[in-house]
Amino acid sequence: MDPDAVAKAFVEHYYSTFDANRSSLANLYQDASMLTFEGQKIQGSANIVAKLTSLPFQQCQHSITTVDCQPSGPAGGMLVFVSGNLQLAGEQHALKFSQLFLFRSDMKWGTAVLVHVVYKMAEILTPPCLGSVKFQPHSNHPRHEHDNVWILLSR
Protein backbone atom coordinates (compact mmCIF):
# COMPACT_ATOMS: atom_id res chain seq x y z
CA MET A 1 0.00 0.00 0.00
CA ASP A 2 1.15 3.56 -0.73
CA PRO A 3 2.82 5.08 2.40
CA ASP A 4 1.28 8.51 1.74
CA ALA A 5 -2.22 7.00 1.55
CA VAL A 6 -1.61 5.06 4.79
CA ALA A 7 -0.34 8.20 6.56
CA LYS A 8 -3.28 10.31 5.38
CA ALA A 9 -5.80 7.65 6.42
CA PHE A 10 -4.14 7.34 9.83
CA VAL A 11 -4.10 11.13 10.35
CA GLU A 12 -7.76 11.44 9.36
CA HIS A 13 -8.71 8.67 11.78
CA TYR A 14 -6.58 10.03 14.64
CA TYR A 15 -7.81 13.63 14.51
CA SER A 16 -11.47 12.83 13.82
CA THR A 17 -11.37 10.50 16.84
CA PHE A 18 -9.53 13.11 18.95
CA ASP A 19 -12.12 15.76 18.05
CA ALA A 20 -15.12 13.49 18.72
CA ASN A 21 -14.03 11.37 21.72
CA ARG A 22 -10.39 11.47 22.89
CA SER A 23 -10.77 8.44 25.16
CA SER A 24 -11.39 6.32 22.04
CA LEU A 25 -7.71 6.79 21.12
CA ALA A 26 -6.71 4.29 23.83
CA ASN A 27 -6.66 1.37 21.39
CA LEU A 28 -3.88 3.07 19.38
CA TYR A 29 -1.48 3.03 22.35
CA GLN A 30 0.17 0.26 24.40
CA ASP A 31 1.92 0.20 27.77
CA ALA A 32 5.28 0.93 26.11
CA SER A 33 3.91 3.87 24.05
CA MET A 34 5.22 7.33 24.92
CA LEU A 35 3.72 10.77 24.36
CA THR A 36 5.73 13.96 24.79
CA PHE A 37 3.17 16.75 25.14
CA GLU A 38 4.72 20.21 25.31
CA GLY A 39 7.84 18.73 26.95
CA GLN A 40 5.98 16.48 29.41
CA LYS A 41 6.78 12.77 28.89
CA ILE A 42 3.88 10.39 29.49
CA GLN A 43 4.10 6.60 29.10
CA GLY A 44 1.41 3.96 28.73
CA SER A 45 -2.01 3.92 27.12
CA ALA A 46 -3.97 4.77 30.29
CA ASN A 47 -1.68 7.68 31.21
CA ILE A 48 -1.68 9.08 27.68
CA VAL A 49 -5.46 8.99 27.42
CA ALA A 50 -5.72 10.54 30.89
CA LYS A 51 -3.55 13.42 29.69
CA LEU A 52 -5.52 13.90 26.47
CA THR A 53 -8.88 13.84 28.24
CA SER A 54 -7.67 16.27 30.94
CA LEU A 55 -6.80 19.04 28.49
CA PRO A 56 -8.52 22.31 29.45
CA PHE A 57 -11.04 22.23 26.59
CA GLN A 58 -13.81 19.82 25.71
CA GLN A 59 -14.60 20.68 22.10
CA CYS A 60 -12.10 21.27 19.33
CA GLN A 61 -11.63 20.87 15.59
CA HIS A 62 -8.32 20.00 13.94
CA SER A 63 -7.63 21.28 10.44
CA ILE A 64 -4.63 19.55 8.87
CA THR A 65 -2.26 21.59 6.70
CA THR A 66 0.51 19.08 5.92
CA VAL A 67 1.16 15.37 6.29
CA ASP A 68 4.67 14.10 5.57
CA CYS A 69 5.68 10.49 6.04
CA GLN A 70 8.50 8.00 5.70
CA PRO A 71 8.37 4.22 5.98
CA SER A 72 10.26 3.08 9.10
CA GLY A 73 11.65 -0.41 9.52
CA PRO A 74 10.82 -3.73 7.89
CA ALA A 75 7.67 -4.38 9.95
CA GLY A 76 5.56 -1.72 8.26
CA GLY A 77 6.36 1.12 10.63
CA MET A 78 5.77 4.73 9.67
CA LEU A 79 7.10 8.13 10.72
CA VAL A 80 4.42 10.79 10.18
CA PHE A 81 4.80 14.55 10.68
CA VAL A 82 1.61 16.64 10.82
CA SER A 83 1.08 20.38 11.00
CA GLY A 84 -2.18 22.23 11.18
CA ASN A 85 -4.60 24.36 13.14
CA LEU A 86 -6.55 23.61 16.29
CA GLN A 87 -9.79 25.55 16.68
CA LEU A 88 -11.17 25.56 20.21
CA ALA A 89 -14.88 26.04 20.79
CA GLY A 90 -15.68 29.65 21.61
CA GLU A 91 -12.30 31.00 20.49
CA GLN A 92 -11.92 33.37 17.55
CA HIS A 93 -8.41 32.36 16.47
CA ALA A 94 -7.06 28.90 15.76
CA LEU A 95 -3.81 27.64 17.30
CA LYS A 96 -1.04 26.25 15.13
CA PHE A 97 0.36 22.86 16.10
CA SER A 98 2.73 20.18 14.90
CA GLN A 99 2.78 16.52 15.84
CA LEU A 100 5.14 13.67 15.08
CA PHE A 101 3.97 10.04 15.16
CA LEU A 102 6.07 6.89 15.00
CA PHE A 103 3.87 3.86 14.65
CA ARG A 104 4.24 0.24 13.71
CA SER A 105 1.78 -2.06 12.12
CA ASP A 106 0.50 -4.92 14.23
CA MET A 107 0.29 -7.57 11.52
CA LYS A 108 -1.46 -10.03 13.86
CA TRP A 109 -4.39 -7.66 14.40
CA GLY A 110 -4.10 -5.57 11.23
CA THR A 111 -3.88 -2.31 13.16
CA ALA A 112 -1.42 0.50 13.80
CA VAL A 113 0.16 0.91 17.23
CA LEU A 114 1.60 4.27 18.26
CA VAL A 115 5.09 3.85 19.66
CA HIS A 116 6.14 7.50 20.07
CA VAL A 117 4.20 10.76 19.69
CA VAL A 118 5.52 14.32 20.10
CA TYR A 119 3.07 17.27 20.23
CA LYS A 120 3.96 20.97 20.09
CA MET A 121 1.84 24.09 19.93
CA ALA A 122 3.04 27.17 18.06
CA GLU A 123 0.87 29.76 19.77
CA ILE A 124 0.31 32.99 17.92
CA LEU A 125 -2.85 34.07 19.71
CA THR A 126 -3.44 31.92 22.76
CA PRO A 127 -6.77 31.49 24.53
CA PRO A 128 -6.64 32.12 28.29
CA CYS A 129 -7.10 28.43 29.07
CA LEU A 130 -3.67 27.62 27.56
CA GLY A 131 -1.56 30.52 28.88
CA SER A 132 -0.07 33.49 27.08
CA VAL A 133 2.87 34.30 24.85
CA LYS A 134 4.27 37.32 23.11
CA PHE A 135 6.34 37.93 19.99
CA GLN A 136 9.48 40.02 20.07
CA PRO A 137 12.00 40.93 17.35
CA HIS A 138 15.11 38.77 17.53
CA SER A 139 17.74 40.97 19.25
CA ASN A 140 20.78 39.37 17.58
CA HIS A 141 19.52 39.93 14.09
CA PRO A 142 20.00 43.26 12.25
CA ARG A 143 16.63 44.68 11.28
CA HIS A 144 15.90 45.50 7.66
CA GLU A 145 12.84 47.08 6.13
CA HIS A 146 11.46 43.76 4.84
CA ASP A 147 12.86 41.52 7.57
CA ASN A 148 10.37 39.33 9.40
CA VAL A 149 12.58 37.36 11.82
CA TRP A 150 10.80 36.99 15.16
CA ILE A 151 11.19 34.73 18.16
CA LEU A 152 8.52 33.44 20.50
CA LEU A 153 8.91 34.24 24.21
CA SER A 154 6.84 32.67 26.98
CA ARG A 155 5.60 35.05 29.65
Side-chain angles (χ1 to χ4, degrees), residues 37-59:
F37 188 91
E38 292 294 327
Q40 179 186 10
K41 291 177 179 41
I42 303 144
Q43 186 166 6
S45 180
N47 294 330
I48 291 169
V49 170
K51 173 63 178 179
L52 297 178
T53 56
S54 72
L55 294 173
F57 53 88
Q58 296 303 313
Q59 296 178 339

Side-chain angles (χ1 to χ4, degrees), residues 52-109:
L52 297 178
T53 56
S54 72
L55 294 173
F57 53 88
Q58 296 303 313
Q59 296 178 339
C60 65
Q61 180 67 44
H62 286 87
S63 172
I64 305 307
T65 306
T66 64
V67 176
D68 296 301
C69 71
Q70 296 177 358
S72 175
M78 182 85 62
L79 181 68
V80 180
F81 179 79
V82 179
S83 65
N85 298 301
L86 173 62
Q87 183 66 53
L88 302 179
E91 296 294 334
Q92 182 178 2
H93 300 283
L95 302 167
K96 299 206 178 288
F97 77 93
S98 59
Q99 192 159 11
L100 179 69
F101 298 95
L102 175 62
F103 68 87
R104 65 177 168 76
S105 294
D106 186 334
M107 297 302 178
K108 179 179 178 183
W109 301 105

Side-chain angles (χ1 to χ4, degrees), residues 137-142:
H138 193 289
S139 61
N140 295 330
H141 186 75

Side-chain angles (χ1 to χ4, degrees), residues 125-145:
L125 296 172
T126 309
C129 67
L130 296 178
S132 60
V133 296
K134 64 180 178 178
F135 284 98
Q136 174 177 317
H138 193 289
S139 61
N140 295 330
H141 186 75
R143 300 296 295 160
H144 300 288
E145 182 180 347

